[in-house]
Amino acid sequence: MRIGKARYLAPAVALVMLTSACGGGDDGNDQADAQAQVEALPAEDLNPAPREGLQKGGTFVWAISAYDGQHNTWHTQGNLANVQRVAGAVLPSPTRYDAEGTASPNTDFVLEYGVSDDGLEVTYELNPDAVWSNGEPITSADYEAQVETVSGSREGDWEIGGTAGYDQVSEFVPGDDEYSFTLKFEEPYSEWPSLFSPLYPKKYMEDEKLFKEGYVKEYPVTAGPFGDVEFDDVTERVTVKKNEDWWGTEPLLDEIVFDAMGTDAMANAFNNGEIDGFYLGYDAAGYELLKGSEGAYFTKAVNHGYRFASLNGASPNLEDVRVRHAISLGMDTDALAEVALGAVDWPITGEVNRMLRSSQHGYQDNSEGYGEYDPERAKELLDEAGWTLKEGDEVRTNEDGEKLSLDWVAADDMAIALDEAEIGRDMLAEIGVEVKVQQVPSNALFSEYVIPGNYEVATYVLVGSNPYAGDAKENYGMPNEDGEWGNNLARTSTEEIEAKFDEMRAETDPDRYAELANEIDRLLWEEVVTIPFFERPGLYVVNEDLHNWGEFGLASSYVYEDIGWAAE
């Protein structure tokens, strides 16, 4: 989401495999037509309506794909899109972005902010009306505590997912009162508006135990248009209620219910009136069920995420970049994109960029030599890496006789993930690589497998929480001084990638910024940190009477208080 991105892991939605779709998209005219369709997509599609035409009150049941426990987004286990959506309704964030990704202060929390001409100082003037749900004012002390903790400055094992620019702050300078402060940087940090989104109370940033456990299936302290968060382990629902003490624009809804369910179940739940909106994405069966349905509004806009295969570089079988390169060349990503996107009538360009979305300045494809389907070259690379295929064998072995076998984990209630694993298994078998598909519970996919590194291949989506590319450093950068990879779940990178991220985050010229973003994306191809498949489609389905919710693109979040039902 992320110019480019703090990214949050969002498991994608279901796919019914199309056995006839095994390629395509090579025709030049088709490619040009698809590219034109992508370029014509709007920046956002929220089924918009002015607040004046919407009623006060009501409940919005919002389907999400997992019932997550950790709701501290700065913790490695809380770096998830579903968590971000709940947190966005109930916690402070100092910045709002428009559809083009332009930042401005969220005056409910920050009356004014700005950067000095030399880019080395950022000043904040806080809204003195802003208070936590426990009655305490939101002051500079809360912001200072978050800088110290998320920057990695505090002693202890905090299990922080990424420093996300906080490590760029050289000094926190209190202002004339508790509602002002200045951040000083040793070099310009162009992405400073992304900081403090969201903000947690000082108490939960200063105490290591509270940082890790305070927001597990609980929001003990909130400060947003909604609050009073309830977790129901039986129904796997998270309910947030209108904050009656909210000092900003009054929320239209009485409550939002985040209903966790298998992605394959969402379309039927919508069709039965059990939910009011969900991300459809590439759910072919759901698309067929609901298209043309009375009362269903389909969004169509640029999404702030992309789907890919993550390769665990810490695995002995994948630590050699030549093997990862071979896996990339052995997978026909155009065919995978055709299966997924063709099923929901979405333009397929064969292009994707980890740093920039197709609506952003400088977007281009950087995959030459790595993103093509070339099984013969893949076989050569595996031979070079010492994985040979003996006559009569189907699986390559090394000099010790060990098989080149990969564990591919996939959520058991996500048809797209299971189909990708099975298709990928068949593709990689052609180059002598064995794949064992392991179906795991959706709620355990990240917490028990991907995040702790108990996998070799997994497919999922990274979704941006702001329009900048630099926050993706936590997904692709080097480990910290303790050797912890944080949010880099592929567990491989280079010092060159790390340095390029730092250079880009200090760059204020948009042309050079985009150039650096593309240089990073190319380096990621060369390191084969991930194998991008396609930019995620901005297809949501929402009750046509529910407005100001759907695909937000580079805006990166919703204005929760404006979501509401049409007046009867």
Side-chain angles (χ1 to χ4, degrees):
M1 212 157 265
R2 302 174 188 346
I3 294 176
K5 287 125 226 186
R7 300 185 186 270
Y8 290 84
L9 309 177
V13 295
L15 165 73
V16 172
M17 181 175 175
L18 305 181
T19 55
S20 62
C22 56
D26 293 330
D27 183 85
N29 291 330
D30 290 346
Q31 180 78 6
D33 181 61
Q35 190 63 45
Q37 290 181 54
V38 168
E39 292 174 357
L41 289 172
E44 66 179 15
D45 185 355
L46 297 169
N47 192 20
R51 285 176 55 93
E52 295 74 21
L54 304 179
Q55 68 180 21
K56 291 184 179 181
T59 297
F60 167 32
V61 182
W62 176 344
I64 58 175
S65 58
Y67 182 69
D68 300 299
Q70 178 59 264
H71 276 251
N72 180 347
T73 63
W74 302 108
H75 189 278
T76 53
Q77 293 281 355
N79 181 43
L80 300 164
N82 292 321
V83 174
Q84 185 73 6
R85 297 298 157 246
V86 179
V90 301
L91 289 175
S93 181
T95 296
R96 277 192 172 142
Y97 304 96
D98 64 17
E100 306 304 321
T102 303
S104 61
N106 179 353
T107 56
D108 291 329
F109 301 103
V110 176
L111 296 178
E112 187 176 351
Y113 61 21
V115 63
S116 60
D117 291 340
D118 61 7
L120 298 179
E121 295 186 1
V122 178
T123 58
Y124 291 76
E125 180 184 345
L126 306 182
N127 187 340
D129 293 334
V131 295
W132 297 107
S133 57
N134 60 9
E136 295 292 324
I138 301 174
T139 70
S140 60
D142 296 298
Y143 290 81
E144 183 175 15
Q146 186 147 314
V147 169
E148 185 170 354
T149 298
V150 182
S151 68
S153 298
R154 295 190 195 275
E155 293 184 3
D157 180 17
W158 292 77
E159 300 178 22
I160 296 168
T163 55
Y166 293 87
D167 57 345
Q168 302 294 104
V169 178
S170 60
E171 186 179 1
F172 186 101
V173 182
D176 295 333
D177 58 26
E178 61 183 349
Y179 298 108
S180 61
F181 64 90
T182 298
L183 300 180
K184 288 189 175 183
F185 300 85
E186 292 183 355
E187 61 180 15
Y189 177 57
S190 62
E191 304 179 0
W192 60 265
S194 66
L195 297 172
F196 309 114
S197 297
L199 179 74
Y200 286 80
K202 173 184 176 182
K203 176 180 177 181
Y204 295 86
M205 282 287 156
E206 292 183 331
D207 185 292
E208 184 176 337
K209 183 176 181 180
L210 289 178
F211 180 89
K212 294 178 179 179
E213 301 176 9
Y215 280 79
V216 173
K217 289 189 180 178
E218 186 178 7
Y219 279 81
V221 183
T222 60
F226 292 85
D228 191 17
V229 186
E230 297 179 359
F231 287 80
D232 189 327
D233 292 344
V234 176
T235 63
E236 296 195 332
R237 285 184 161 199
V238 183
T239 301
V240 300
K241 297 181 180 179
K242 176 180 176 179
N243 181 1
E244 299 295 344
D245 297 321
W246 175 242
W247 54 93
T249 302
E250 181 184 5
L252 294 170
L253 294 169
D254 290 328
E255 63 180 11
I256 301 173
V257 178
F258 298 90
D259 191 354
M261 62 180 65
T263 52
D264 293 354
M266 290 181 183
N268 277 318
F270 181 89
N271 196 47
N272 294 334
E274 299 167 17
I275 61 174
D276 303 309
F278 70 103
Y279 177 69
L280 175 69
Y282 11 75
D283 177 2
Y287 182 78
E288 288 299 319
L289 175 67
L290 298 176
K291 70 176 183 180
S293 296
E294 184 177 353
Y297 180 89
F298 285 71
T299 71
K300 196 166 188 177
V302 176
N303 184 265
H304 199 357
Y306 72 99
R307 188 162 182 82
F308 62 96
S310 179
L311 305 181
N312 184 358
S315 163
N317 287 344
L318 292 172
E319 61 185 359
D320 190 326
V321 69
R322 292 172 297 183
V323 176
R324 299 197 301 274
H325 188 181
I327 299 301
S328 180
L329 295 175
M331 293 180 62
D332 189 344
T333 56
D334 284 345
L336 289 166
E338 178 70 29
V339 169
L341 302 181
V344 293
D345 191 25
W346 195 265
I348 307 166
T349 67
E351 295 185 358
V352 66
N353 187 311
R354 300 170 183 83
M355 298 291 104
L356 305 171
R357 298 286 68 78
S358 59
S359 60
Q360 289 181 292
H361 176 63
Y363 170 84
Q364 67 182 41
D365 181 76
N366 302 298
S367 65
E368 183 179 358
Y370 293 85
E372 300 92 346
Y373 180 51
D374 190 347
E376 294 308 311
R377 176 56 181 153
K379 294 174 184 177
E380 293 174 1
L381 286 166
L382 291 173
D383 286 338
E384 293 173 14
W387 292 98
T388 57
L389 188 62
K390 297 179 180 179
E391 185 175 354
D393 288 349
E394 295 183 351
V395 181
R396 291 175 179 269
T397 55
N398 61 14
E399 61 182 2
D400 297 323
E402 298 168 329
K403 287 185 176 182
L404 182 51
S405 181
L406 304 177
D407 288 330
W408 189 319
V409 297
D412 58 11
D413 63 353
M414 295 181 188
I416 184 172
L418 293 173
D419 290 338
E420 286 166 340
E422 291 171 358
I423 295 171
R425 177 189 60 200
D426 294 343
M427 289 177 177
L428 294 179
E430 295 298 315
I431 62 172
V433 178
E434 180 181 64
V435 170
K436 297 178 181 178
V437 178
Q438 183 179 5
Q439 298 185 31
V440 303
S442 178
N443 283 340
L445 175 65
F446 289 104
S447 62
E448 297 181 22
Y449 294 91
V450 178
I451 293 174
N454 298 323
Y455 81 104
E456 285 171 305
V457 186
T459 55
Y460 50 90
V461 171
L462 283 178
V463 182
S465 65
N466 65 62
Y468 303 105
D471 280 359
K473 180 183 178 182
E474 66 187 56
N475 302 115
Y476 300 117
M478 296 290 287
N480 63 21
E481 59 185 15
D482 296 323
E484 299 295 331
W485 285 96
N487 288 335
N488 183 344
L489 304 180
R491 292 168 174 78
T492 185
S493 187
T494 66
E495 294 291 350
E496 186 178 7
I497 291 170
E498 181 92 356
K500 283 290 183 183
F501 267 111
D502 291 340
E503 184 181 355
M504 181 184 66
R505 297 196 305 181
E507 183 56 62
T508 57
D509 178 74
D511 292 334
R512 178 57 180 158
Y513 186 101
E515 183 179 346
L516 288 165
N518 284 304
E519 289 178 11
I520 293 170
D521 188 50
R522 177 60 185 181
L523 289 172
L524 293 172
W525 274 112
E526 293 173 1
E527 183 65 10
V528 200
V529 177
T530 58
I531 305 173
F533 289 174
F534 49 81
E535 188 169 274
R536 197 169 78 144
L539 271 174
Y540 286 76
V541 180
V542 57
N543 185 310
E544 65 178 2
D545 291 329
L546 185 74
H547 295 278
N548 303 324
W549 186 88
E551 178 52 68
F552 50 63
L554 294 178
S556 304
S557 190
Y558 301 100
V559 180
Y560 286 80
E561 53 267 45
D562 288 349
I563 302 172
W565 292 97
E568 296 180 357

PDB file of all heavy atoms in Angstrom, residues 127 134 162 180 185 313 339 416 506 523 552:
ATOM      1  N   ASN A 127      -3.743  17.872  19.290  1.00  0.00           N
ATOM      2  CA  ASN A 127      -5.082  18.342  19.651  1.00  0.00           C
ATOM      3  C   ASN A 127      -5.292  18.096  21.149  1.00  0.00           C
ATOM      4  O   ASN A 127      -5.346  16.940  21.588  1.00  0.00           O
ATOM      5  CB  ASN A 127      -6.130  17.592  18.839  1.00  0.00           C
ATOM      6  CG  ASN A 127      -7.522  18.135  19.041  1.00  0.00           C
ATOM      7  OD1 ASN A 127      -7.799  18.818  20.029  1.00  0.00           O
ATOM      8  ND2 ASN A 127      -8.420  17.825  18.120  1.00  0.00           N
ATOM      9  N   ASN A 134      -9.380   5.912  29.060  1.00  0.00           N
ATOM     10  CA  ASN A 134      -9.278   5.932  30.525  1.00  0.00           C
ATOM     11  C   ASN A 134      -9.300   7.344  31.081  1.00  0.00           C
ATOM     12  O   ASN A 134      -9.110   7.551  32.278  1.00  0.00           O
ATOM     13  CB  ASN A 134      -8.008   5.205  30.985  1.00  0.00           C
ATOM     14  CG  ASN A 134      -6.734   5.850  30.437  1.00  0.00           C
ATOM     15  OD1 ASN A 134      -6.756   6.931  29.848  1.00  0.00           O
ATOM     16  ND2 ASN A 134      -5.615   5.175  30.631  1.00  0.00           N
ATOM     17  N   GLY A 162       9.292  -4.273  12.986  1.00  0.00           N
ATOM     18  CA  GLY A 162      10.117  -3.407  12.163  1.00  0.00           C
ATOM     19  C   GLY A 162      10.219  -2.028  12.760  1.00  0.00           C
ATOM     20  O   GLY A 162       9.281  -1.539  13.390  1.00  0.00           O
ATOM     21  N   SER A 180       3.006  19.464  22.275  1.00  0.00           N
ATOM     22  CA  SER A 180       3.856  19.780  21.128  1.00  0.00           C
ATOM     23  C   SER A 180       5.203  19.101  21.291  1.00  0.00           C
ATOM     24  O   SER A 180       5.656  18.847  22.407  1.00  0.00           O
ATOM     25  CB  SER A 180       4.034  21.293  20.977  1.00  0.00           C
ATOM     26  OG  SER A 180       4.662  21.843  22.122  1.00  0.00           O
ATOM     27  N   PHE A 185      16.138  14.545  12.884  1.00  0.00           N
ATOM     28  CA  PHE A 185      16.732  13.478  12.091  1.00  0.00           C
ATOM     29  C   PHE A 185      18.145  13.883  11.682  1.00  0.00           C
ATOM     30  O   PHE A 185      18.411  15.065  11.439  1.00  0.00           O
ATOM     31  CB  PHE A 185      15.901  13.204  10.833  1.00  0.00           C
ATOM     32  CG  PHE A 185      14.486  12.775  11.106  1.00  0.00           C
ATOM     33  CD1 PHE A 185      13.482  13.719  11.327  1.00  0.00           C
ATOM     34  CD2 PHE A 185      14.145  11.440  11.140  1.00  0.00           C
ATOM     35  CE1 PHE A 185      12.176  13.325  11.573  1.00  0.00           C
ATOM     36  CE2 PHE A 185      12.839  11.037  11.385  1.00  0.00           C
ATOM     37  CZ  PHE A 185      11.851  11.986  11.609  1.00  0.00           C
ATOM     38  N   GLY A 313      14.344 -18.123   2.949  1.00  0.00           N
ATOM     39  CA  GLY A 313      15.769 -18.214   2.677  1.00  0.00           C
ATOM     40  C   GLY A 313      16.582 -18.819   3.795  1.00  0.00           C
ATOM     41  O   GLY A 313      17.765 -19.131   3.610  1.00  0.00           O
ATOM     42  N   VAL A 339      -5.365 -17.877 -13.944  1.00  0.00           N
ATOM     43  CA  VAL A 339      -6.318 -18.695 -13.191  1.00  0.00           C
ATOM     44  C   VAL A 339      -7.067 -17.839 -12.174  1.00  0.00           C
ATOM     45  O   VAL A 339      -8.286 -17.937 -12.023  1.00  0.00           O
ATOM     46  CB  VAL A 339      -5.591 -19.854 -12.487  1.00  0.00           C
ATOM     47  CG1 VAL A 339      -6.510 -20.535 -11.490  1.00  0.00           C
ATOM     48  CG2 VAL A 339      -5.099 -20.861 -13.516  1.00  0.00           C
ATOM     49  N   ILE A 416      -7.719 -20.421  -3.114  1.00  0.00           N
ATOM     50  CA  ILE A 416      -6.639 -19.914  -3.962  1.00  0.00           C
ATOM     51  C   ILE A 416      -5.289 -20.412  -3.474  1.00  0.00           C
ATOM     52  O   ILE A 416      -4.434 -20.802  -4.261  1.00  0.00           O
ATOM     53  CB  ILE A 416      -6.651 -18.372  -4.033  1.00  0.00           C
ATOM     54  CG1 ILE A 416      -5.570 -17.905  -5.002  1.00  0.00           C
ATOM     55  CG2 ILE A 416      -6.483 -17.726  -2.672  1.00  0.00           C
ATOM     56  CD1 ILE A 416      -5.602 -16.431  -5.308  1.00  0.00           C
ATOM     57  N   ALA A 506      15.332   8.814   2.403  1.00  0.00           N
ATOM     58  CA  ALA A 506      15.834  10.177   2.602  1.00  0.00           C
ATOM     59  C   ALA A 506      15.603  11.062   1.377  1.00  0.00           C
ATOM     60  O   ALA A 506      15.851  12.266   1.428  1.00  0.00           O
ATOM     61  CB  ALA A 506      17.323  10.142   2.930  1.00  0.00           C
ATOM     62  N   LEU A 523      16.643  -5.399  -7.250  1.00  0.00           N
ATOM     63  CA  LEU A 523      17.524  -6.128  -6.346  1.00  0.00           C
ATOM     64  C   LEU A 523      16.782  -7.266  -5.654  1.00  0.00           C
ATOM     65  O   LEU A 523      17.346  -8.349  -5.413  1.00  0.00           O
ATOM     66  CB  LEU A 523      18.117  -5.183  -5.305  1.00  0.00           C
ATOM     67  CG  LEU A 523      19.157  -4.174  -5.815  1.00  0.00           C
ATOM     68  CD1 LEU A 523      19.498  -3.175  -4.720  1.00  0.00           C
ATOM     69  CD2 LEU A 523      20.415  -4.893  -6.298  1.00  0.00           C
ATOM     70  N   PHE A 552     -10.042   1.436  -0.895  1.00  0.00           N
ATOM     71  CA  PHE A 552      -9.517   2.765  -0.581  1.00  0.00           C
ATOM     72  C   PHE A 552      -8.192   3.074  -1.262  1.00  0.00           C
ATOM     73  O   PHE A 552      -7.699   4.195  -1.202  1.00  0.00           O
ATOM     74  CB  PHE A 552      -9.355   2.958   0.925  1.00  0.00           C
ATOM     75  CG  PHE A 552      -8.620   1.854   1.623  1.00  0.00           C
ATOM     76  CD1 PHE A 552      -7.299   1.566   1.344  1.00  0.00           C
ATOM     77  CD2 PHE A 552      -9.273   1.078   2.573  1.00  0.00           C
ATOM     78  CE1 PHE A 552      -6.620   0.547   1.992  1.00  0.00           C
ATOM     79  CE2 PHE A 552      -8.596   0.052   3.237  1.00  0.00           C
ATOM     80  CZ  PHE A 552      -7.263  -0.209   2.935  1.00  0.00           C
TER      81      PHE A 552
END
